[in-house]
Structures are given as structure tokens and as C-alpha cells.
């Protein structure tokens, strides 16, 4: 929570979804994210993907879906750079098929960024509607609806409240005390 901190959201012409992961499709369902993103009919919407792992298949998928111009695919980054990317994003997106309790969601919440996530593993234990939107794993129709909803309503989420939850539950001080 010290590296992943709150920063005033910049007024961007583009709405940006951010995904950060190992880019393993069988777990993180990157293909489902790309399929769903390709169905958005909104102008000025971008998807930024940051992660390590094989990306040639993602580039091929971007080409086949004709969304290369709307998706920024970046490699592994430092925690500090990921924090800045989260601060710049309008929403964080995690569409995993399986998870435990992904640290990346806690990092995103620490920056006050609302989330769209699938209901897998321990995510429901840290989630409520004040933090974003939870959908069924693998349901691309729900993901498209959630993305459209987030585009329309991201400003309704309270970044300070989202961050406060992360700090109150996951900061070094709280964990050390527990």
C-alpha cells in the first residue's frame, strides 16, 4: 500500500481498462478479455495489458479481432511502474478462470481503481459493489456488460473508499499487527 497509492485520476479522453498478469490464458483468460473487448462499440476505449509470458498468440488474436489499435500490450514492469499504470487506468480487469486471492486486485484497490473481476477463489471474500463489478468466470456476455457499465459509471466509485479498504486490511502495519 506504500508503493500502490492513491493519485488524482487524470482526465483522459480515452477510457482505459488495465489488465496485469502472467498472461497464461488457461488461468487468466486473456482470450476471453480480448473477445469481450472486441465487442465494445464505444469510441475512445483502450485496453492496456501488462505482463510476462508468451505474447505472440496475443498479437495474433489482436490481429484476428481487428483491435490492434485499441490494445496496448506491454511486457513485465516494476512495481512502481505498475502502480502508475493502475493510477492512470479508469478500471482494472481480471477475468480469471481460477485464482486464490490475487495480489494484483489488492494493489489495484490500493490505488483507488475500481475493478471488474470474476467470482473465483477468495476474491468474493474481499469484494463488494463499492469496489467494482463481479461476474461469473468465463461469461463473456457478462464481461461485455460489466465493461460497458464501468465505462458509463466509473466516476460513481469512490477512490478514497476503495483505497481505505485496502489499507485497513492489507497494509504492512495491519498485517504485522495481526
Amino acid at each position: 500500500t506504500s508503493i500502490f497509492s492513491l493519485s488524482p485520476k487524470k482526465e483522459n479522453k480515452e477510457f482505459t481498462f488495465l489488465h496485469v498478469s502472467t498472461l497464461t490464458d488457461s488461468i487468466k483468460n486473456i482470450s476471453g478479455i480480448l473477445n469481450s473487448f472486441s465487442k465494445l462499440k464505444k469510441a475512445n476505449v483502450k485496453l492496456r495489458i501488462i505482463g510476462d509470458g508468451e505474447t505472440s498468440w496475443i498479437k495474433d488474436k489482436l490481429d484476428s479481432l481487428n483491435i490492434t489499435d485499441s490494445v496496448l500490450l506491454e511486457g513485465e514492469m516494476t512495481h512502481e511502474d505498475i502502480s502508475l499504470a493502475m493510477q492512470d487506468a479508469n478500471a482494472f480487469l481480471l477475468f480469471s478462470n481460477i485464482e486464490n486471492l490475487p495480489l494484483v486486485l489488492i494493489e489495484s484497490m490500493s490505488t483507488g481503481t475500481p475493478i471488474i473481476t470474476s467470482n473465483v477463489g477468495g476474491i468474493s471474500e474481499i469484494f463488494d459493489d463499492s469496489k467494482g463489478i463481479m461476474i461469473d468466470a468465463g461469461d463473456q456476455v457478462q464481461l461485455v456488460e460489466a465493461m460497458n457499465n464501468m465505462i458509463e459509471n466509473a466516476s460513481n466509485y469512490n477512490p478514497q473508499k476503495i483505497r481505505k479498504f485496502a489499507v485497513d486490511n492489507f497494509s504492512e502495519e495491519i498485517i504485522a499487527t495481526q
Side-chain angles (χ1 to χ4, degrees):
T1 56
S2 58
I3 294 173
F4 293 86
S5 59
L6 191 61
S7 171
K9 295 292 181 188
K10 296 177 179 77
E11 292 297 322
N12 296 328
K13 292 180 184 176
E14 297 176 327
F15 188 97
T16 303
F17 289 103
L18 175 65
H19 173 82
V20 178
S21 75
T22 58
L23 306 180
T24 305
D25 196 41
S26 62
I27 297 171
K28 303 300 182 179
N29 199 359
I30 309 299
S31 58
I33 292 172
L34 297 176
N35 289 336
S36 299
F37 183 78
S38 73
K39 291 178 176 54
L40 295 178
K41 303 299 182 208
K42 309 255 189 233
N44 297 321
V45 178
K46 296 286 184 189
L47 171 61
R48 186 174 179 188
I49 299 174
I50 299 172
D52 59 344
E54 175 57 40
T55 59
S56 61
W57 71 271
I58 297 174
K59 292 174 186 170
D60 292 342
K61 182 92 171 159
L62 294 175
D63 288 338
S64 71
L65 293 170
N66 197 27
I67 56 173
T68 304
D69 293 342
S70 301
V71 179
L72 180 60
L73 181 59
E74 302 175 74
E76 191 172 0
M77 291 186 176
T78 66
H79 287 108
E80 291 79 6
D81 288 338
I82 292 172
S83 176
L84 293 173
M86 288 177 173
Q87 291 170 357
D88 287 342
N90 299 93
F92 187 83
L93 177 57
L94 189 68
F95 192 48
S96 295
N97 293 316
I98 57 172
E99 283 289 349
N100 186 3
L101 179 59
L103 181 58
V104 71
L105 286 184
I106 295 168
E107 292 167 343
S108 181
M109 286 188 270
S110 294
T111 67
T113 305
I115 59 176
I116 297 174
T117 185
S118 46
N119 187 6
V120 294
I123 295 174
S124 63
E125 296 174 26
I126 64 165
F127 180 85
D128 66 51
D129 292 340
S130 70
K131 297 173 189 74
I133 303 168
M134 181 176 282
I135 59 174
D136 295 332
D139 192 326
Q140 293 181 32
V141 172
Q142 283 185 7
L143 181 54
V144 172
E145 291 170 0
M147 293 169 86
N148 280 319
N149 185 312
M150 189 61 75
I151 292 166
E152 298 298 322
N153 298 298
S155 63
N156 295 336
Y157 292 95
N158 183 324
Q160 292 81 12
K161 185 176 177 183
I162 294 170
R163 174 165 171 76
K164 183 177 182 334
F165 172 82
V167 170
D168 289 351
N169 290 279
F170 303 107
S171 66
E172 261 187 65
E173 297 79 17
I174 293 297
I175 298 300
T177 301
Q178 290 177 356

